[in-house]
């Protein structure tokens, strides 16, 4: 049994030794993930866990990977992608150059979905997709652009529901149970680690997507990160959040207007 | 019904259900007096996304405020909260909800076990867990955790369930303090303090 105080001590260690600050993450989720990790790795006690995280940097990396949630999908919430296709890309298309930031992109399914949308709108040539996450290991998967083949049926259905009109399988080649996505899509993806808690704005974007990341933060951290996005958006830029996340009640709320039923806001000042 | 009073006063009632449990809720909701003094948190397995209409549908069956739980919302007494589709629903120590998009548990997101275990940790003996009809193993572990932390558990009588597997599974694993039909469940809830 791991007590709340133990977790607090562990989080302090992470900050002191490695500079990662998880103190404003959802406690309920962290605790669940830590208990799950101890069961997975057969770690008998909290003391043992603390020792390993403190002394073994490789294990520390695994620890961070496992306490953060990396689950993701291509074309998750098709109506969201449909709105990107119909409402956002036509506006972005009038610009000479399009910069998009996927913050907390995990293994990149969302980034490749976006690259497909851009390609179909004939905008990929003049776009750059910045894919960032806290975990270097998930970014390695973005780089490869290889996803499990057994997911493709569902992704293909979501793609069609998002307004896609092609045969989804034209975007990848199947190989030993894996789907390797077209090189052309990856060419416009720029990959970098970025910690939303401690790193600052690094460019000005026309569209920022940060979906299903804020739910793991407490209100105050959510607010701070939303400010970071505000600073990183050009005038009339767009911010897209997960279906259960909102700008409402945040400090930057008054600078944005929600577009439609999807969680997409336009920066108005 | 003296026996169903918790040692500590009830702060939350959790209801978990899968296939065949929507009908139970439609019958149960009007039978629950709307002046209850705890939060009712409902975790239902349902089709992916989109059907936020469900909380509106349920709200037509009761005078109590019925809403979908939102991330970081405070959990207030006297309300029915419904777990949103495709997220796990967690309870924070400070009395708020958190949503979580991690792996499915028992092939389900939201998973009943996940919310029950999270709530048991926070509410301890001030919690009641209720498990309804379903064709899945979800809920049993959660009920056992609630019991372990001193809370009480109620399971729908499998004979009255459209899908008896889920309640039967809980009963076989000794997760049920009480086994009730719908009328008995309503009675139990109306006597909770
Ligand atoms: C549930 S995934 C979301 C993936 C994708 N955006 C989606 O909605 O499907 C959450 C991601 O946020 C990342 N993350 C968590 N804390 C972070 C932080 N402080 N900075 C950057 N990324 C973070 C995790 O590593 C994980 O990959």
């Amino acid at each position: 049994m791991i007590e709340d105080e133990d977790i607090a001590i562990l989080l302090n260690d992470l900050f002191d030794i490695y500079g990662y600050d998880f103190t404003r993450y959802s406690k309920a989720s962290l605790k669940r993930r830590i208990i799950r990790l101890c069961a997975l790795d057969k770690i008998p006690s909290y003391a043992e866990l603390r020792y390993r995280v403190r002394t073994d940097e490789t294990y520390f990396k695994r620890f961070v990977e496992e306490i953060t949630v990396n689950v993701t999908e291509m074309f998750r919430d098709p109506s969201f992608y449909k709105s990107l296709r119909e409402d956002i890309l036509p506006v972005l298309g009038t610009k000479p150059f399009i910069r998009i930031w996927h913050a907390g992109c995990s293994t990149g399914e969302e980034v490749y979905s976006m690259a497909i949308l851009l390609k179909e709108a004939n905008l990929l040539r003049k776009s750059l997709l910045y894919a960032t996450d806290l975990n270097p290991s998930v970014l390695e998967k973005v780089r490869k652009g290889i996803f499990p083949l057994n997911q493709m049926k569902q992704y293909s259905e979501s793609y069609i529901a998002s307004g896609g009109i092609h045969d989804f399988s034209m975007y990848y080649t199947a190989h030993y149970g894996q789907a390797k996505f077209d090189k052309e899509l990856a060419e416009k993806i720029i990959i970098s680690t970025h910690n939303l808690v401690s790193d600052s704005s690094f460019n000005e974007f026309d569209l920022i997507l940060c979906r299903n990341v804020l739910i793991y933060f407490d209100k105050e951290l959510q607010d701070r990160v939303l400010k970071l996005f505000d600073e990183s958006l050009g005038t009339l830029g767009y911010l897209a959040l997960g279906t259960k996340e909102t700008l409402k009640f945040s400090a930057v709320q008054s600078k944005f207007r929600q577009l439609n039923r999807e969680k997409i806001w336009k920066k108005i000042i | 019904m003296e026996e169903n009073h918790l040692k500590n006063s009830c702060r939350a009632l959790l209801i978990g259900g899968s296939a065949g449990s929507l009908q139970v809720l439609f019958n149960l909701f009007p039978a629950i007096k709307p002046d209850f003094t705890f939060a009712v948190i409902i975790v239902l397995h349902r089709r992916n996304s989109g059907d936020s209409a469900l909380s509106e549908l349920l709200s037509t069956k009761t005078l109590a405020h019925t809403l979908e739980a939102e991330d970081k919302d405070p959990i207030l007494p006297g309300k029915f909260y419904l777990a949103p589709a495709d997220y796990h629903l967690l309870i924070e120590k400070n009395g708020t909800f958190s949503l979580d998009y991690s792996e499915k548990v028992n092939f389900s997101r939201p998973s009943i076990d996940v919310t029950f275990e999270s709530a048991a940790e926070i509410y301890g003996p001030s919690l009641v867990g209720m498990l309804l009809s379903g064709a899945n193993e979800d809920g049993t572990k959660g009920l056992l955790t609630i019991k372990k932390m001193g809370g009480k558990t109620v399971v729908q009588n499998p004979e009255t369930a459209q899908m008896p597997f889920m309640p039967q599974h809980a009963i076989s694993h000794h997760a049920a303090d009480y086994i009730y039909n719908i009328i008995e469940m309503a009675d139990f809830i109306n006597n909770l303090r």
Side-chain angles (χ1 to χ4, degrees):
Chain A
M1 188 68 186
I2 290 181
E3 302 297 332
D4 292 353
E5 299 73 53
D6 300 336
I7 292 179
I9 293 170
L10 210 55
L11 297 187
N12 273 334
D13 284 356
L14 290 179
F15 186 63
D16 288 346
I17 303 172
Y18 303 104
Y20 280 69
D21 184 0
F22 290 100
T23 51
R24 295 208 157 272
Y25 277 53
S26 151
K27 294 285 176 301
S29 166
L30 278 181
K31 191 161 188 180
R32 218 185 131 233
R33 303 297 290 182
I34 290 174
I35 290 168
R36 174 178 170 275
L37 177 64
C38 287
L40 275 178
D41 292 356
K42 307 207 163 48
I43 294 185
S45 68
Y46 159 71
E48 169 86 21
L49 175 68
R50 184 177 180 206
Y51 178 78
R52 286 190 69 176
V53 171
R54 283 180 67 99
T55 56
D56 180 348
E57 184 160 357
T58 314
Y59 195 75
F60 151 75
K61 286 189 185 136
R62 170 165 173 77
F63 181 83
V64 171
E65 264 164 47
E66 290 300 323
I67 62 168
T68 51
V69 170
N70 303 313
V71 175
T72 184
E73 271 175 38
M74 290 188 86
F75 294 97
R76 182 181 190 210
D77 313 313
S79 61
F80 166 76
Y81 284 94
K82 199 175 170 80
S83 179
L84 287 182
R85 264 185 212 279
E86 292 172 357
D87 308 321
I88 311 297
L89 293 192
V91 180
L92 295 186
T94 62
K95 303 189 171 232
F97 196 70
I98 304 170
R99 277 199 188 86
I100 299 175
W101 179 16
H102 293 264
C105 66
S106 191
T107 40
E109 282 81 340
E110 188 185 271
V111 191
Y112 280 85
S113 305
M114 180 63 104
I116 288 172
L117 292 191
L118 288 165
K119 185 173 155 57
E120 293 186 353
N122 256 324
L123 298 173
L124 189 58
R125 290 169 289 112
K126 60 172 181 177
S127 302
L128 278 181
L129 295 93
Y130 291 75
T132 68
D133 201 280
L134 163 89
N135 285 313
S137 60
V138 291
L139 293 175
E140 212 31 64
K141 298 202 174 152
V142 185
R143 201 180 314 275
K144 295 209 175 91
I146 297 176
F147 305 118
L149 194 59
N150 60 13
Q151 301 285 317
M152 292 304 139
K153 184 171 172 293
Q154 193 214 319
Y155 293 172
S156 165
E157 283 165 14
S158 301
Y159 161 79
I160 299 290
S162 81
I165 51 166
H166 297 287
D167 181 351
F168 188 60
S169 64
M170 71 185 242
Y171 289 112
Y172 61 85
T173 38
H175 202 59
Y176 294 113
Q178 307 280 4
K180 167 112 182 77
F181 277 74
D182 246 0
K183 269 227 156 54
E184 190 196 345
L185 300 172
E187 267 165 17
K188 296 297 185 169
I189 301 175
I190 296 172
I191 294 164
S192 166
T193 55
H194 181 279
N195 187 339
L196 290 166
V197 178
S198 48
D199 293 335
S200 44
S201 175
F202 59 95
N203 213 328
E204 192 175 286
F205 297 96
D206 305 299
L207 166 61
I208 298 177
L209 295 94
C210 183
R211 310 186 70 221
N212 302 303
V213 182
L214 295 180
I215 47 176
Y216 296 102
F217 300 167
D218 72 11
K219 276 267 186 215
E220 191 182 310
L221 182 54
Q222 289 183 352
D223 236 40
R224 255 167 50 198
V225 173
L226 288 172
K227 268 196 203 125
L228 172 70
F229 292 151
D230 178 41
E231 287 159 15
S232 310
L233 274 176
T235 30
L236 305 183
Y238 296 97
L239 174 61
L241 304 178
T243 45
K244 288 291 156 189
E245 293 160 332
T246 184
L247 268 189
K248 242 199 253 166
F249 313 121
S250 77
V252 299
Q253 174 181 12
S254 60
K255 297 183 166 184
F256 288 83
R257 188 169 51 82
Q258 189 166 1
L259 272 200
N260 48 25
R261 290 198 53 188
E262 302 303 325
K263 295 300 179 78
I264 305 174
W265 284 263
K266 186 174 190 134
K267 184 167 166 171
I268 47 176
I269 45 171
Chain B
M1 276 217 191
E2 254 331 287
E3 62 185 3
N4 68 22
H5 287 181
L6 295 174
K7 273 198 223 81
N8 301 51
S9 66
C10 179
R11 289 175 62 206
L13 165 67
L14 263 55
I15 303 178
S18 190
S21 59
L22 199 53
Q23 194 54 50
V24 180
L25 291 180
F26 285 159
N27 295 331
L28 195 58
F29 262 52
I32 298 175
K33 294 200 202 104
D35 60 350
F36 51 91
T37 54
F38 39 86
V40 181
I41 302 166
I42 300 163
V43 181
L44 275 191
H45 295 166
R46 41 176 167 152
R47 297 271 131 240
N48 268 10
S49 68
D51 56 353
S52 54
L54 188 55
S55 62
E56 282 153 39
L57 202 58
L58 282 169
S59 72
T60 63
K61 308 277 176 192
T62 175
L63 286 175
H65 192 190
T66 305
L67 64 165
E68 224 177 66
E70 301 245 6
D71 185 50
K72 305 297 171 306
D73 259 2
I75 302 168
L76 302 174
K79 294 182 193 284
F80 287 111
Y81 293 98
L82 189 68
D86 211 21
Y87 287 85
H88 293 306
L89 182 66
L90 305 176
I91 317 288
E92 301 284 349
K93 206 172 200 167
N94 67 2
T96 60
F97 290 115
S98 277
L99 298 180
D100 168 33
Y101 185 51
S102 60
E103 299 79 0
K104 291 184 177 178
V105 174
N106 304 316
F107 312 104
S108 310
R109 190 171 52 215
S111 143
I112 301 168
D113 278 344
V114 168
T115 303
F116 279 20
E117 286 171 359
S118 172
E121 174 108 9
I122 303 300
Y123 294 116
S126 312
L127 178 66
V128 175
M130 224 174 225
L131 192 66
L132 310 179
S133 165
N136 184 299
E137 291 183 6
D138 203 16
T140 297
K141 273 175 75 185
L143 288 178
L144 288 170
T145 310
I146 292 176
K147 269 170 79 107
K148 198 173 100 196
M149 304 301 278
K152 287 270 177 275
T153 63
V154 178
V155 172
Q156 183 179 4
N157 186 338
E159 283 168 25
T160 70
Q162 203 179 318
M163 294 283 173
F165 182 84
M166 197 159 84
Q168 188 56 56
H169 189 267
I171 294 165
S172 313
H173 289 78
H174 312 289
D177 290 322
Y178 310 105
I179 300 167
Y180 285 156
N181 64 29
I182 296 176
I183 294 173
E184 290 165 331
M185 282 191 263
D187 219 31
F188 176 89
I189 295 170
N190 288 328
N191 281 295
L192 269 177
R193 289 290 171 270

